[in-house]
Amino acid sequence: MLYVIIIFLIISFIDLPNLIKKDSKKELIVVCSILCFGFILSSLYALGIDLPSPLVGIENFLKNILKLGYKDQ
Amino acid sequence: MVFRYISRKIVSAQNRNKVNHDAILENGGLAISKNLEENLDFIKSAIGESQDLKIHEFAFGEHNQFSGALVYIDGLVNTIQITESILKPIVSNRKKYKSLEELTISEIRRSILCSGSVTESNLFSQILDGCLSGSTVMLLDGFSKGLIINTEMWEKRDVTEPQTETVIRGPREGFTENLRTNTTLLRRRIKSPKLRMDHMTIGHKTATNVCIAYIEGVARPEIIELLRTRLDSIDVDAVLDSGYIEEYIEESPFSIFSTVGYSEKPDVIASKILEGRIAIISDGSPFVLTVPMLFIESFQTAEDYYVRAFYASITRLMRIFCFFIAVFVVPIFIALSTYHQELIPTTLLFTVATAREGTPFPALFEALVLVISFEILREAGLRLPRAVGQAMSIVGALIVGDAAVSAGLVGAPMVIVVAITAVAGFIIPSQTDSISMLRIIMMILAAFLGGFGIAIGFLGMLVQLATMTSFGVPYFGAVMFSRDQQDSFIRMPLWIMEKRPKNIVYKDKQRKEVIIPPVKSDENVKQKGQDNFDE
Amino acid sequence: MNKYNRRIYLIIILIINFILTGCWDNNELDTISIVTGLGIDAAENDDEIDLTLQVSKIKGTTGYEKGAVGQGSSFFVMEATDSGILSGIDKLEKQIPRSIFLHHNQVIIFGKEQAKKGIKKYMDVFIREHQMRMETWVLISDSTAKDILTATMEQEENSAIGLSKMIYSESRDYEVLSTKLIDLTSKMMEKTTSPVIPIVTVNSENGNSEAEISGLAILKEDKYIGELDLERVRGYSWIMGNCREIPFNIKTEHGYADTSISNIKLKNKPKFGADGPFISIDFKGDVSIREIQGFEDMKTNEIFAILQRSCVEQLKKEILDCFNYSKNLNADIYGFGTEFYRKYPKNFEKLREYWDEIYPELDMEIDINLEITDTGKVLNSLYMEEKTDENR
Amino acid sequence: MKIDNGKISASQFMFAVACFIQASTLLTAFFISVTKQDSWIVSIFGFLIGMIFLWIYTALMKNFPNKNLVEINDLVFGPVIGKIFSFIYIYFFLTLSALNLKDMGDFVGIAIMPDTPTIVILVSFMCICAWAVRGGIEIVTRYSLFFTFTTSFIIIVTFFLAFNDIDFNNFLPIFNQPFMKYLQGTHIISTIPFGEIVVFLMVTPNIEIPKNKIGKYFTLGFAIGGISLILIILRDIAVLGNVITLFTFPSFETLRMIRLSSTLGRMEVLFAVILITLMFFKISFLYYVSVLVISQIFKLNSHKNIVIGVGIIIIIYSTNLYYSMIQHMEHGSNITPFQWLIYEFLLPLITLTVAKIRKISSSEEGN
């Protein structure tokens, strides 16, 4: 977990300064949100919590509700 | 954090105020005074009582009523030329000059002196520059202008065969330290009027003359502009060798591969200029830089173009193969012996295993020790005087290797593999530095991640090559599907290569008119109805 | 240093701190013991097996004594009895300081009793385990696998490598005498065919022992039910095709001839005839005569005619002999079941369950034509009549 | 408003398409387990149906020469619905790169380094991809010729080397499986390897060819990729026969069987390294496209900043994509084709038809 935090500190410390200097607000927001999302994901992974993957979710939706899947004998 | 500190340091170093000029330039603005003694005292104070400064006073005119002085640095000038073409005509001048009014500096320059390049100037800075760079300065009492007469002559090394790029076939002359001989060597090769030689001086203290040679219409103007801005921005004390310039103008300084090519042979530089590149000749260094450089150029040697096409392409492919051997063989051996033992055939595996049985160190440590000891021996071989050096490196390698094996510190296969890579590294002279660095990186990757590590290293190298550009030209464009393929991995026969390299050349693309396959003795001649040989 | 370079160093930092934590898979050459042979024998109680591993002994040559690689046998054998192969290997791994390295395993040997009990149970690990390779040879030992693996060969370092080299050269002539793991698995997956595995016997006299292939074991439903001796193996290999040149000697009342049959073109087509399925085989081959004895004063073309006729008969006899043997063992060693399945997939589905009844009634229609093409250096020999003008 | 104005030449684009398709040799396990020995027929059908997808994409490219997918969506469906379509594509591209990364991780984990945790493999691989993606489209596709050449060379060499193991009546019981199986097989192959070239719609502005010739280069690249894929499947079936259904990576098994001489066998690490370079190209291209889509939607002025963020998301997403390999295989061969069908076939078709109905095409507006 500590490892993940250190990695994200390094990334943000190197990447963000020139973004702030360029002060294009919109871009800063987007980049920060993606980095935070990544941080949350990787910290969850480091803590061992398994997130349900959307791909399986959609596929179950297709299979059960729309009955689209092939029958696997 | 470390890199931020370094970057701040560099940035602050650059934009320190550009004011602290050198002492000479400050009062360079002073004009020459009329009184001769005053001028001479000033020059003595500026240049100091150095032993090789000569001041020759003379008197001339009908009743020796005018007095003047010649100031020059002994050794830089041609004393015979001074006496012949300067002193004798002035002193023995028949025309009678009564007073100062009749005599004017320009008249002296035109009528009396009979030496080629004479310039007038009334600024002390130009006087001192001229005096220090080999011309004699004539100051006359009562005149506020001085004459700078170009009388350069100093010991020059004559044109010899360069040590680094020995060639079996092809011209053997190499550049020397003198800028003028270098430019003449180039002029003799490219006699077209379009060959431009622009002149610049770089360095406050050394003021080395740098000449940029290119062919109008072939070299791209934007690259010339880019080069000129970069050369102007070099604001440095001394430029003793073209290596200094290379470091300042290369584009990606922190990458392993160099983006500025250099060579010591005029025919190589001439061929590069004809291909649209720009040569930078700096006074005092036999190595001439060529810009922009492509990665594939380091595999091209002069000889490739003088030997028949088929043999040349085979040697070039062999050179590329040696590059891979030099970089990848030791890591592959480490990966094989520690990660993928299944790739080694069974019987060979037993011999390798028996060899590695006694050795205490892990494979990576062993390989590092051997590679570094080979590098040390190679460096020692270079630094020692010629005769001893050769013997030292070879004998040293053998003895050290053999002793290590018999002492059981190192496995025999490892010594063989490292020896092969060390030798293979020398085949591509201009890349030996990048090869030794790459090899160590790949070894570490192989030791920690095995075959996958080598794949990562190889891909990293490819990406690094792809991202690098040298003066706007993609550094490793040889892999793209374009006309440049004719001369990259293999060299097509000369009569096929009719256009210059695609992304370097500007307008004048055509090297020669049309593809004429070489005349076959009988059917071509009859076909065109030319007078064949026997008529 | 523009921001572009700074980004590169960010990435390189990321790579380095991930790589430096590396070397999970790193096992130095002196920390692995290289397994060259693996033997499975029947243990006392049924669900356990005796696992024997032949490991090559690596003696360090560098350092204190510099001699040739140690003379004598440079291998040692490890045994364990366990219910599964991998659990057996783990048990063995505890006994020796080095980890067991199976990639270089040359040969898998099943003991005879184990073959009788059935080998399908233990096949799964050979496919699933990453280190097991699909092209290792499979053998059945005449006695127990341990004897084969402990035998010390004269020339080779250890018996497994010797065996694999022998099989490799043997299979040049008789393709059938070598079964790779992949052939065995694919035959086992075809329900109707019964796989065939070479049998290796060891006869050890005065210390050193010689292993040799002495026939083919037939397994039905992965149990050992019988074997083909070398004679029948030749009959079997005529049908299986892909054999390059096979020596063949014929005794006729006139004399003895030693020939070899080569460039065999074989077509065996399964057909559904009037009275049920049958196999039609047409066999073309060239006979080259190597040695002739007897045939006193006969003309050359007479001799050739006799030889050809007797070759055809002998060939037919051998093929039928082996075919009948397999029929009364009710083991489809030729894979005719799959041939039928491949040609007529639709109506074979119905036959598949009854294959055990159909196979014994299967009959075979053979037509063989051989030409005598090469008679060596001499057109006729001492015994034959002088070639006078009239009978040329 | 072009985010990355790197220029790639026509031949590079062609070889990029070819290399993209060739890189999916690892995924052949999906449909081979369905149509055992007739997979080569199914792959030919899949190739033909892939041509239909190709026709849709070239039509889109011709209508909107210098517009990438997001701009087309905005143009055709207006800003709001266009954004929704683009968000769907973001999800699709991210899942694609995560899936390919997971395949690469499993393959390297099984083939070369059984004991290394996959996260280490994924991160070190993604670092190199991030470095390439940061360089832009030119860097990513620069080596497409080199990779395609090595792959085709390897395919031909392995075909001849495996010749003594090849047994041609492994193909024999042809067409004796229920028709449903062939439908499913064709469906899988036409969506997973061949349908994925929808990503090239994102790159049309960077390609430097006259717009009428783009179809020719696209189909040529597609053909090279398709033919090499069919060759691989032919080789696998010929060598492995009915054993093929057992393995998760059938082509890797055939490579293990190849034996140069009596001693020099076991070459699979060599082939694994070459497959890694191939997967590098495919994953860095997908990674680049997903970064481009995000930066195009949010109208960032340079795509370089979000590269690392997206990379981390892809890595973590690929680790918890499926719980186990079995679920991956089962879903992959049964349900994923339908899901891919939506993104690769339905959405582009809708965009094309709506564009035709509303007679929008950027070539008229001439910007």
Side-chain angles (χ1 to χ4, degrees), chain B residues 254 341 344 356-357 445 448, chain C residues 9 19 27-28 98 104:
Chain B
F254 288 99
Q341 292 87 357
I344 310 174
R356 285 199 48 74
E357 191 55 33
L445 277 172
F448 285 108
Chain C
Y9 290 101
I19 284 173
N27 30 38
E28 287 289 332
R98 299 175 178 217
H104 280 276

Side-chain angles (χ1 to χ4, degrees), chain D residues 309-326:
Chain D
V310 171
I312 290 167
I313 295 171
I314 290 177
I315 294 173
I316 308 299
Y317 186 19
S318 79
T319 43
N320 54 30
L321 205 58
Y322 284 107
Y323 303 132
S324 69
M325 199 58 179
I326 303 123

